[in-house]
């Protein structure tokens, strides 16, 4: 079996949905199609939820009505036959009635998750109406019946496996299955989700659970590129990446793939292919165990980084100092990304400043604490790059005119990371494009 996951823009317009049905029908093996919500829907649902939370019900109602209008016109072009149109209309009626009811009841965290789930429920059900109109046999596998997370919001791969195979067993006559990305049930049995962009994660978890031959992630760009196309003029797709390289890139800013989606595929050794719905013949990027080729493959940048430096002469020759510092971050459940140390100071970065004030307060007894906000991490990724001759010379040679706040080299053999002021990020990515890849 294989997995084909389509993102919001791939299902965002009726003709796009028609197009992906033609891609899906070309599959030569049984396929599970994982869908996101139509583009813009989850953002609208977030807005509805936050307006209800604020008590601004008229703003929420306005967004619901606008969204409903959008879907009404969507289904007019999605299907041709009256019977299919009536089915699609009934689906909209059901889900929008739910949203209108929510306007009248008191708000809770659990309710906001129910609101967020409507996007994927709608996209998959409408997709199935179109499949039915086209006479394509299929079965809808409700994600809420098999995708579960535990009390730490971690997916329960074991039970996902069991429940999903039970569901598949009920449809042994079918070759095409459709399910929702993103949504799941939590440990309390409530509707929950795998966080924004989580459909990739769903696809990867499902691939792992059924030991798929491949997990195809279809978007509107032909794979992972060597640099950020929004910042530099010329970028090229990277043909093959190892799971480690892909994880570094996904975390450090390559928006194409949700960072958490690497581990299930990696752990169960399922190749992941990033493909372009608008150019289905293009090779895209293959992510697999083998890295293929040595050297620099891509650079990526992550914004909104906060750097914290703790200086203390007490650190000199002392043991246990780092543990005490790390415990502060652990207490506030704040992950540390980069870290560098000298004999009398340690610098580290975080990307979630929610508890910054508390963290600083608790660090102060250890020494002088300095904070730099608005930083970016530039990450240079490739197979065994730290073994690549003259890499350091080429890297720093490309950046002679730029001040660098931190350097992390050797943590992984596949990554060199630099911390720089966010204001110099674009210039750095441009200079690296030339210096590392010979692209202007
Ligand atoms: N619809 C969800 C979102 O917009 C999940 C996804 O698209 O991956 O975040
Ligand atoms: Mg996405």
């Amino acid at each position: 079996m294989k997995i084909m996951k389509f993102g919001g823009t791939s299902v965002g317009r009726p003709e796009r949905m028609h197009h992906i049905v033609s891609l899906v029908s070309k599959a030569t093996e049984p396929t599970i199609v994982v869908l996101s919500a139509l583009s813009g829907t989850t953002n609208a649902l977030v807005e509805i939820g936050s307006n209800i939370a604020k008590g601004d019900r008229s703003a929420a109602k306005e967004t619901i009505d606008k969204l409903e209008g959008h879907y009404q016109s969507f289904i007019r072009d999605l299907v041709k036959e009256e019977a299919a149109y009536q089915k699609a209309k009934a689906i909209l009626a059901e889900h929008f009635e739910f949203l209108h009811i929510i306007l009248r009841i008191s708000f809770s965290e659990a309710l906001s998750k129910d609101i967020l789930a409507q996007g994927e429920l709608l996209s998959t059900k409408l997709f199935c109406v179109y499949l039915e109109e086209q006479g394509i046999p299929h079965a809808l596998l409700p994600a809420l019946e098999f995708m579960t997370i535990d009390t730490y919001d971690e997916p329960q791969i074991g039970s996902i496996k069991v429940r999903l195979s039970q569901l598949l067993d009920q449809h042994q006559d079918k070759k095409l299955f459709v399910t929702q990305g993103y949504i799941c049930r939590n440990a309390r049995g409530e509707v929950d989700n795998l966080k924004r962009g989580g459909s990739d994660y769903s696809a990867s978890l499902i691939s792992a659970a059924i030991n798929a031959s491949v997990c195809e992630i279809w978007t509107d760009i032909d794979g992972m590129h060597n640099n950020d196309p929004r910042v530099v003029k010329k970028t090229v797709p990277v043909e093959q990446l190892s799971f480690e390289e892909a994880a570094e890139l996904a975390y450090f800013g390559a928006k194409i793939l949700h960072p958490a989606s690497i581990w299930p595929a990696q752990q169960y050794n399922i190749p992941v292919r990033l493909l372009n719905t608008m150019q289905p013949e293009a090779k895209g990027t293959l992510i697999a165990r083998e890295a293929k080729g040595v050297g620099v493959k891509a650079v990526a940048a992550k914004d909104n980084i906060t750097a914290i430096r703790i200086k203390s002469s007490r650190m000199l020759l002392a043991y246990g100092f780092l543990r005490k510092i790390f415990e502060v971050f652990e207490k506030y459940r704040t992950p540390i990304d980069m870290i560098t140390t000298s004999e009398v100071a340690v610098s580290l970065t975080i990307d979630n400043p929610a508890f910054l004030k508390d963290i600083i307060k608790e660090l102060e007894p250890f020494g002088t604490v300095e904070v730099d906000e608005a930083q970016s991490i530039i990450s240079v990724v490739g197979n065994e790059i730290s073994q690549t001759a003259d890499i350091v010379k080429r890297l720093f040679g490309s950046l002679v005119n730029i001040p660098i706040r931190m350097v992390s080299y050797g943590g992984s053999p596949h990554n060199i990371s630099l911390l720089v002021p966010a204001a110099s990020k674009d210039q750095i990515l441009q200079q690296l494009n030339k210096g590392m890849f010979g692209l202007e």
Side-chain angles (χ1 to χ4, degrees):
M1 278 194 110
K2 74 166 179 175
I3 306 301
M4 296 176 86
K5 180 259 165 179
F6 295 91
T9 47
S10 304
V11 288
R13 288 204 307 267
E15 61 276 19
R16 287 290 201 104
M17 223 182 228
H18 298 162
H19 176 60
I20 64 172
V21 166
S22 74
L23 288 176
V24 163
S25 345
K26 287 196 191 97
T28 50
E29 58 189 316
T31 303
I32 301 182
V33 174
V34 180
L35 298 184
S36 291
L38 311 197
S39 49
T41 300
T42 310
N43 286 345
L45 295 170
V46 168
E47 198 182 309
I48 292 164
S50 69
N51 277 320
I52 297 179
K54 275 191 293 195
D56 191 347
R57 291 182 190 245
S58 71
K61 184 173 182 308
E62 204 174 294
T63 313
I64 295 172
D65 290 341
K66 215 166 101 195
L67 195 63
E68 188 168 4
H70 177 72
Y71 276 84
Q72 293 292 359
S73 69
F74 184 90
I75 61 166
R76 272 196 288 277
D77 294 322
L78 180 68
V79 290
K80 282 197 203 74
E81 290 160 17
E82 183 59 21
Y85 180 65
Q86 289 307 330
K87 269 189 197 147
K89 255 187 108 160
I91 291 166
L92 298 196
E94 177 196 336
H95 289 276
F96 282 95
E97 187 185 67
F98 171 77
L99 289 174
H100 280 110
I101 289 173
I102 272 179
L103 281 177
R104 282 180 261 128
I105 52 187
S106 60
F107 184 79
S108 70
E109 203 48 47
L111 198 62
S112 81
K113 305 280 177 63
D114 270 315
I115 298 175
L116 292 176
Q118 301 308 305
E120 273 70 12
L121 292 172
L122 279 165
S123 66
T124 47
K125 288 186 186 176
L126 295 175
F127 187 74
C128 287
V129 170
Y130 179 65
L131 284 175
E132 197 185 321
E133 186 187 44
Q134 296 299 301
I136 302 170
H138 66 278
L140 179 65
L141 308 174
L144 297 177
E145 287 178 25
F146 67 85
M147 190 58 79
T148 50
I149 53 175
D150 64 18
T151 42
Y152 299 99
D153 290 353
E154 292 298 332
Q156 298 173 300
I157 192 99
S159 72
I160 295 170
K161 235 180 193 167
V162 173
R163 290 182 207 210
L164 185 54
S165 65
Q166 283 167 350
L167 280 173
L168 287 168
D169 281 347
Q170 291 168 20
H171 302 283
Q172 289 187 7
D173 55 326
K174 302 277 173 16
K175 288 201 173 60
L176 179 63
F177 304 91
V178 180
T179 191
Q180 298 87 14
Y182 179 59
I183 62 174
C184 62
R185 244 177 232 289
N186 64 26
R188 292 180 298 277
E190 300 155 348
V191 173
D192 209 321
N193 60 63
L194 301 175
K195 312 264 158 46
R196 294 306 304 273
S199 293
D200 296 337
Y201 197 12
S202 304
S204 174
L205 288 164
I206 294 168
S207 310
I210 61 157
N211 196 20
S213 59
V214 60
C215 176
E216 295 180 351
I217 306 282
W218 291 81
T219 62
D220 48 7
I221 175 165
D222 49 354
M224 248 193 226
H225 279 226
N226 74 304
N227 203 331
D228 189 339
R230 291 164 303 185
V231 178
V232 303
K233 276 199 208 99
K234 188 156 174 43
T235 62
V236 289
V238 184
E239 234 175 78
Q240 186 162 343
L241 290 167
S242 67
F243 290 117
E244 287 89 358
E245 292 169 329
E248 306 264 18
L249 280 175
Y251 174 72
F252 288 108
K255 290 280 173 316
I256 180 164
L257 193 62
H258 190 283
S261 56
I262 307 287
W263 77 258
Q266 178 169 25
Q267 197 168 319
Y268 290 80
N269 196 22
I270 315 291
V272 177
R273 231 174 233 294
L274 307 179
L275 294 158
N276 184 352
T277 36
M278 301 312 281
Q279 243 183 298
E281 336 63 47
K283 269 200 193 135
T285 300
L286 173 67
I287 305 170
R289 196 165 271 178
E290 295 298 307
K292 204 173 147 193
V294 181
V296 178
K297 290 190 185 163
V299 298
K302 189 168 170 62
D303 296 327
N304 299 320
I305 301 293
T306 304
I308 303 165
R309 178 185 287 132
I310 305 112
K311 267 197 292 197
S312 168
S313 47
R314 269 190 288 156
M315 191 177 162
L316 196 68
L317 301 174
Y319 55 83
F321 189 81
L322 285 177
R323 179 178 55 77
K324 289 182 202 134
I325 288 176
F326 287 164
E327 272 171 0
V328 175
F329 289 86
E330 193 182 336
K331 180 172 168 193
Y332 292 98
R333 298 184 71 176
T334 300
I336 296 169
D337 293 327
M338 271 176 87
I339 164 153
T340 57
T341 62
S342 84
E343 206 41 64
V344 289
V346 49
S347 271
L348 41 81
T349 70
I350 58 172
D351 67 1
N352 176 6
F355 298 103
L356 185 59
K357 275 206 185 89
D358 304 290
I359 289 172
I360 295 172
K361 212 162 146 202
E362 295 210 23
L363 288 175
E364 267 161 357
F366 299 116
T368 322
V369 181
E370 291 164 18
V371 175
D372 290 313
E373 280 161 312
Q375 304 286 305
S376 294
I377 294 176
I378 307 280
S379 191
V380 182
V381 172
N383 187 29
E384 304 292 346
I385 45 171
S386 53
Q387 304 291 312
T388 311
D390 78 0
I391 181 85
V392 174
K393 188 172 155 206
R394 270 164 63 209
L395 179 60
F396 289 107
S398 316
L399 303 175
V400 275
N401 52 341
I402 293 188
I404 295 168
R405 165 80 164 76
M406 274 169 77
V407 178
S408 173
Y409 177 98
S412 133
H414 315 298
N415 169 300
I416 301 172
S417 293
L418 311 171
L419 187 76
V420 298
S424 14
K425 180 190 85 173
D426 287 7
Q427 190 191 351
I428 294 177
L429 289 179
Q430 284 151 5
Q431 289 179 204
L432 289 177
N433 214 38
K434 186 158 181 236
M436 308 302 282
F437 303 102
L439 298 167
E440 288 283 343

